[in-house]
Amino acid sequence: MYEHDVIVVGGGGAGLRAAIAAQEQGADVAIVTKLHPVRSHTGAAEGGINAALRDGDSWEDHAYDTMKGSDYLGDAPAIDTFAKTAPDEVIQLEHWGMPFSREDDGRVSQRPFGGLSFPRTTYAGAETGHHMLHTLYEQVVKRGIEVYDEWYVSNLAVTDEDDPNDRECHGVVAWDVQSGEIAGFEARDGVILATGGLGQAYDHTTNAVANTGDGVAMAYRAGVPIEDMEMIQFHPTTLPSTGVLISEGVRGEGGILYNAEGERFMFEYGYATNDGELASRDVVSRAELTEINEGRGIDDEYVYLDMRHLGEERITDRLENILHLAEDFEGVDGLEEPMPVKPGQHYAMGGVETNEFGETCVDGLYAAGECACVSLHGANRLGGNALPELIVFGALAGRHAAGEDMGEALIETGPSEELDREELGVPVGLPSEQSDTAEPAADGGEPVEDVDTRSSEEVVSDAEATEEERIETLLEREDGVNHADVRADLQTSMTENVNVFRTEAGLEQALEDIQEARERYQDVYVADKSRTFNTDLQHTIETRNLLDVAEAITMGALARDEFRGAHWRKEHQERKDDEWLKHTMVSWNDGDPELWYRPVILEGHEETYEPKNRSY
Amino acid sequence: MSTQTPETETETETEPEAESGASAAPDHQQRRMDEKRARAEARDDAAAQAATEFEGETVELKVFRYDPEVEGKEEPRFDSFTVPFEKGMTVLDALIFARDEYDSSLTFRHSCRQAVCGSDAFFINGSQQLGCQTQMGDLEWPVRVEPLPHQDVVKDLVVEMDHFYDQMESVQPFFDPDELPDGELDEQRQSRENREHIKLSTRCIWCGACMSSCNIAAGDNQYLGPAAINKAYRFYMDEREGEQKRQERLEIIEQEHGVWRCQTQFSCTEVCPKDIPLTEHIQELKREAVKENLKFW
């Protein structure tokens, strides 16, 4: 068994920042990550990092834009903490040597981005995430922080109390992908989940193959509620054939969108008469699909994003990476032709419920970054707000886990008897046979007693034994279903039914498809019997995680009968503030998922936000 | 590659907009929708034709296999996979197809699919390239995929990267200025020219293609290699660091297994998927070293 004060799961932006913060606070910290840190998908972020740095801008304006962007589903204490802290964190990156794009006076450049009232997006070309990831990793190397790379964390070591609010997390179980060794990692002070996105639940996504929602699924099965899962962002400019992202920076620098008839539709069809192409992402994605559906798309599949008028010099200076991506992945020369683009799954606004310090309701378990829902982005994330989230909440979670006293949080966490519950008409959860398999109480079995009296070491070694058995079972099975078939069917159904435009029938269909996929997953087997670098085994376990998160996304989407932010419902075309100023919460509930709701917090540090009509 | 078909989107999501559009301008919209249907039919025909054109067109993939634990795989061998060819298919797409359809034990690293995570550098038809960035259509068939040469093979296409990481981390690869501005939110200043000077060097994605292509690195295990020297270059050239740190960096660069080992064969520059002029960077550092040494004479 390995032992550290703080264990960080995941080596992307949030994980690296959390590890540095915990170490600076004096903790012995280790990062356990299924990819080497520089392979993390933070590296694919392109556009930039929002922070109010200049005269004429203020954290209050950044907070206001974020709240409006969230369509009033963000929690004000999270938004205010974020907007206040982002400037310090961005300057910290600059002090760590990040190669930001610069103004003539040598200061960090900022550009306009969608939904922002001030050009506050700092950037490093169109490869900001790459530079941020490498800068953070450099600081991890400098500090000698231990990294267990290519170790796959497959379960959390959490106690068995009946009420998730009483449970404690004492570590994780992971296996070394290269050797197959399974080991427990005991965390004396805390475990921080920083596992990133879940885009692999869809087939047209900007996300990496590794973005399988592992942290969300593990925390969920350990009893932590997951929040606003239905809020999925579809980025308006992805390349049609691969889903590769074309940065919002293109539109920030002045790129324009037009349809097959050469019309600048954002203005001409009134989707966003003020901000045009720089409206919020949900608005632009819907506009594009509407154009396509009404017959004004090119090949009835995509629209054009044109940046030629910006000139070669400006494009090469600020957007060079876009030229390479368009050339390599779509065969288009962005200097000579407009680029084909269409919406693609990009980001999960929802995730593991946390407070503004990254704490979940399970003592000692934290989450930060895309896998967490603090809730900063509410129903729609603004471009340029994901990267600062990683560093702001990564650092807070790291310092809190390492013991810094931050006082009382304003955001509550954990299931509560007093809040609304909802009955679902559609079957969800595990097929009955699956609940019978020997899994720890936090993952479906019956809790043994109300107080778990095991020592923390016992909790970790019990979890390790359970994982060994689970892996053994998967490897022993000689025949069955290949996980790749289950995953492909899941992705197809999610893309067809839980996309930009959602209908009741489609969502019900998706839940049925997921249920069927779960049943087939019962018979899944791993053909590769080797202990050495067994990606077949890893992907099989990831597919289970995708099933759990996809179901929560769809359940939330079906129940939320209104139109808010990224969540559009055919039968419900308006935002219903009287009924729906509340977060969708899903509790695993021992394999019988339950929906409940928690009110949105609009009361911020200085003022209370008033829900307004959202127009751009 | 997406399996989402355009038909899916148009069929399932069109109704609400079509209704609202129709009430605004019925004739106009009706004509447009008719045209759209006509186009869809024409496209189906074209697609059917294209499918006939490529129908049955398959490409043979010869993939290196090795697993120290599995009977029959302890001795390296090549397996052939016949993969249906599609326009736009990359080597990574073909490998994924072979794995998901034929042999789920086929093992290779990959993640982002867009040439930024640096996981999938392979030896493809005899040169180091990223699988996700290499079009099957641009290669001679059959396509031969091997693990990166000069690195120990863990399994199939997966190589041991630890030595590469050790070299990268041996050059103090982190920013280390003498002093920082102390005012609240004060930035260090960096000129646009200086940022431009280091820009290409900061693009490195640690894929290891350069190191694998380098004859010197193959013969001298302690040679820092092109990627690590490029990392040192990135900081040495950054005007925000102080003079003393520059001297320290120069010592690392100049060491016995540093820049002077390079014989300017340009193999690293040729294979770099991010087009970093690695050999030029090494040469520039050699010149810096000579200049600095002359100063002390």
Side-chain angles (χ1 to χ4, degrees), chain B residues 107-171:
Chain B
T107 304
F108 46 93
R109 291 192 180 98
H110 65 300
S111 187
C112 75
R113 309 166 296 135
Q114 60 184 82
V116 73
C117 76
S119 306
D120 67 341
F122 307 127
F123 199 53
I124 302 168
N125 280 1
S127 76
Q128 287 83 359
Q129 304 177 68
L130 298 181
C132 63
Q133 208 184 20
T134 307
Q135 291 285 323
M136 291 292 281
D138 293 343
L139 296 167
E140 205 169 299
W141 295 2
V143 173
R144 195 176 162 97
V145 190
E146 297 166 75
L148 288 181
H150 305 138
Q151 274 150 290
D152 290 340
V153 178
V154 177
K155 175 174 170 178
D156 294 350
L157 301 175
V158 175
V159 293
E160 179 62 73
M161 291 295 285
D162 285 351
H163 177 61
F164 177 82
Y165 296 146
D166 287 345
Q167 299 306 77
M168 290 302 278
E169 288 171 15
S170 73
V171 299

Side-chain angles (χ1 to χ4, degrees), chain A residues 146-451:
Chain A
E146 184 137 17
V147 179
Y148 298 84
D149 70 286
E150 294 185 336
W151 277 78
Y152 181 70
V153 173
S154 61
N155 211 354
L156 306 176
V158 173
T159 57
D160 276 350
E161 285 83 0
D162 233 344
D163 182 349
N165 293 307
D166 299 333
R167 292 178 191 164
E168 281 177 68
C169 179
H170 292 295
V172 303
V173 184
W175 39 279
D176 179 3
V177 178
Q178 192 151 330
S179 72
E181 174 197 348
I182 298 171
F185 286 74
E186 191 183 337
R188 295 180 207 103
D189 297 332
V191 169
I192 302 174
L193 296 173
T195 57
L198 47 77
Q200 287 299 315
Y202 289 82
D203 61 13
H204 188 83
T205 174
T206 64
N207 281 199
V209 173
N211 296 139
T212 51
D214 298 337
V216 177
M218 288 189 293
Y220 177 45
R221 294 194 299 261
V224 181
I226 52 180
E227 181 172 354
D228 294 334
M229 291 297 287
E230 70 274 25
M231 297 304 177
I232 297 287
Q233 177 163 84
F234 297 87
H235 194 291
T237 57
T238 71
L239 296 176
S241 60
T242 53
V244 165
L245 174 70
I246 295 300
S247 171
E248 186 160 316
V250 174
R251 284 170 288 137
E253 296 291 348
I256 58 174
L257 289 167
Y258 61 86
N259 62 20
E261 298 180 10
E263 296 164 311
R264 200 170 166 187
F265 56 86
M266 290 304 298
F267 290 103
E268 295 194 24
Y269 288 84
Y271 299 108
T273 43
N274 292 320
D275 293 359
E277 283 84 2
L278 279 179
S280 187
R281 288 178 177 173
D282 56 328
V283 175
V284 182
S285 283
R286 278 191 298 271
E288 289 177 0
L289 281 186
T290 304
E291 289 299 300
I292 293 164
N293 291 342
E294 292 188 0
R296 297 186 296 270
I298 297 107
D299 289 346
D300 292 330
E301 194 198 351
Y302 52 85
V303 296
Y304 280 134
L305 174 62
D306 197 348
M307 62 176 183
R308 293 173 294 180
H309 57 288
L310 303 178
E312 184 168 351
E313 193 186 328
R314 182 151 164 204
I315 293 172
T316 316
D317 183 36
R318 301 181 184 191
L319 298 165
E320 188 187 337
N321 186 42
I322 300 305
L323 293 176
H324 299 308
L325 293 173
E327 172 67 39
D328 289 346
F329 300 103
E330 203 66 49
V332 168
D333 180 353
L335 291 174
E336 300 289 331
E337 309 155 76
M339 299 174 285
V341 292
K342 73 172 193 182
Q345 194 283 345
H346 183 54
Y347 186 85
M349 270 75 78
V352 179
E353 183 205 39
T354 73
N355 66 20
E356 62 269 43
F357 310 137
E359 289 179 284
T360 71
C361 69
V362 169
D363 194 34
L365 183 63
Y366 295 76
E370 188 172 343
C371 73
C373 183
V374 47
S375 132
L376 170 63
H377 310 300
N380 172 63
R381 174 172 74 75
L382 292 183
N385 264 357
L387 294 181
E389 177 189 22
L390 305 182
I391 46 181
V392 166
F393 292 105
L396 284 167
R399 298 208 319 262
H400 197 282
E404 185 180 316
D405 182 2
M406 296 183 180
E408 191 80 16
L410 295 170
I411 298 172
E412 279 177 51
T413 57
S416 158
E417 286 304 318
E418 293 146 33
L419 300 168
D420 317 347
R421 255 137 242 280
E422 176 118 355
E423 287 301 316
L424 270 184
V426 195
V428 294
L430 298 177
S432 52
E433 315 91 87
Q434 200 173 329
S435 324
D436 297 333
T437 55
E439 293 199 28
D443 190 17
E446 283 300 309
V448 225
E449 49 195 279
D450 217 30
V451 181

Side-chain angles (χ1 to χ4, degrees), chain B residues 189-292:
Chain B
R189 302 296 172 103
Q190 182 182 29
S191 67
R192 293 171 72 107
E193 294 69 34
N194 185 248
R195 197 237 169 206
E196 200 59 30
H197 193 151
I198 64 164
K199 186 171 89 179
L200 292 175
S201 67
T202 62
R203 293 234 171 108
C204 176
I205 56 171
W206 297 43
C207 68
C210 56
M211 184 88 136
S212 166
S213 78
C214 176
N215 280 329
I216 314 302
D220 173 7
N221 210 34
Q222 285 169 273
Y223 175 46
L224 291 174
I229 295 176
N230 176 69
K231 192 80 175 170
Y233 174 98
R234 177 252 172 279
F235 291 108
Y236 181 83
M237 294 296 173
D238 193 316
E239 67 186 9
R240 294 172 292 175
E241 278 196 351
E243 195 48 43
Q244 198 193 327
K245 191 70 203 176
R246 273 169 73 89
Q247 289 305 324
E248 278 175 51
R249 292 203 182 278
L250 205 54
E251 278 166 34
I252 296 171
I253 292 161
E254 266 204 291
Q255 55 155 301
E256 195 189 341
H257 301 280
V259 287
W260 299 110
R261 289 275 156 154
C262 169
Q263 295 180 2
T264 54
Q265 294 171 349
F266 288 92
S267 63
C268 55
T269 306
E270 276 164 28
V271 300
C272 177
K274 303 310 276 188
D275 299 326
I276 303 170
L278 293 159
T279 314
E280 275 175 46
H281 287 173
I282 298 172
Q283 291 301 95
E284 212 179 322
L285 288 174
K286 285 180 186 169
R287 287 195 294 275
E288 286 292 317
V290 171
K291 254 189 342 206
E292 288 297 316

Side-chain angles (χ1 to χ4, degrees), chain A residues 448-466:
Chain A
V448 225
E449 49 195 279
D450 217 30
V451 181
D452 191 330
T453 53
R454 293 174 297 167
S455 71
S456 58
E457 203 185 322
E458 283 169 328
V459 174
V460 179
S461 60
D462 288 355
E464 186 188 326
T466 311

Side-chain angles (χ1 to χ4, degrees), chain A residues 35-36 38-39 41 43-44 46 52-54 87-88 91 94-108 124-125 127 130-131 134 137-139 141-142 149-150 178 200 203-210 240-242 244-245 261 269 289-290 292-297 299-301 316-318 320-321 324-325 328-329 342-343 482 484-485 492 495-496 499-501 503 527-536 539 568 570, chain B residues 1-6 8-10 12-21 28-29 32-33 35-37 39-40 43 67-70 90 96 99-101 104-119 132-133 135 154-155 158-162 164-165 169 173-177 180-181 183-192 195-196 198-200 202-207 231 234-235 238 240 273-275:
Chain A
L35 301 174
H36 183 280
V38 302
R39 317 283 173 221
H41 208 52
E46 294 168 8
L53 294 173
R54 302 286 179 243
D88 291 329
I91 296 303
E94 200 283 332
H95 289 179
W96 284 336
M98 178 159 158
F100 282 103
S101 294
R102 301 276 168 171
E103 291 301 306
D104 288 338
D105 65 1
R107 296 197 304 171
V108 170
E127 44 202 27
H130 165 78
H131 293 304
H134 282 259
Y137 183 62
E138 287 158 14
Q139 293 299 312
V141 171
K142 183 179 182 185
D149 70 286
E150 294 185 336
Q178 192 151 330
Q200 287 299 315
D203 61 13
H204 188 83
T205 174
T206 64
N207 281 199
V209 173
S241 60
T242 53
V244 165
L245 174 70
E261 298 180 10
Y269 288 84
L289 281 186
T290 304
I292 293 164
N293 291 342
E294 292 188 0
R296 297 186 296 270
D299 289 346
D300 292 330
E301 194 198 351
T316 316
D317 183 36
R318 301 181 184 191
E320 188 187 337
N321 186 42
H324 299 308
L325 293 173
D328 289 346
F329 300 103
K342 73 172 193 182
N482 180 355
D485 297 336
T492 306
T495 298
E496 191 169 324
N499 211 312
V500 175
F501 295 127
T503 66
D528 189 351
K529 303 299 176 198
S530 171
R531 288 276 172 181
T532 305
F533 223 99
N534 194 334
T535 52
D536 192 7
H539 296 159
W568 182 100
K570 183 182 175 190
Chain B
M1 187 168 300
S2 167
T3 55
Q4 181 183 14
T5 59
T8 308
E9 257 180 23
T10 48
T12 56
E13 288 158 354
T14 187
E15 295 151 43
E17 287 67 39
E19 282 160 18
S20 60
H28 183 62
Q29 186 57 21
R32 198 192 301 281
M33 296 313 286
E35 285 169 8
K36 184 181 166 190
R37 252 190 304 278
R39 276 201 306 275
R43 204 170 35 249
D67 188 325
E69 283 187 64
V70 173
T90 65
I96 290 174
R99 180 195 64 197
D100 290 351
E101 299 296 324
S104 59
S105 73
L106 178 59
T107 304
F108 46 93
R109 291 192 180 98
H110 65 300
S111 187
C112 75
R113 309 166 296 135
Q114 60 184 82
V116 73
C117 76
S119 306
C132 63
Q133 208 184 20
Q135 291 285 323
V154 177
K155 175 174 170 178
V158 175
V159 293
E160 179 62 73
M161 291 295 285
D162 285 351
F164 177 82
Y165 296 146
E169 288 171 15
F174 40 80
F175 187 67
D176 198 3
L180 286 168
E184 197 192 347
L185 294 186
D186 255 2
E187 304 151 51
Q188 308 164 95
R189 302 296 172 103
Q190 182 182 29
S191 67
R192 293 171 72 107
R195 197 237 169 206
E196 200 59 30
I198 64 164
K199 186 171 89 179
L200 292 175
T202 62
R203 293 234 171 108
C204 176
I205 56 171
W206 297 43
C207 68
K231 192 80 175 170
R234 177 252 172 279
F235 291 108
D238 193 316
R240 294 172 292 175
K274 303 310 276 188
D275 299 326

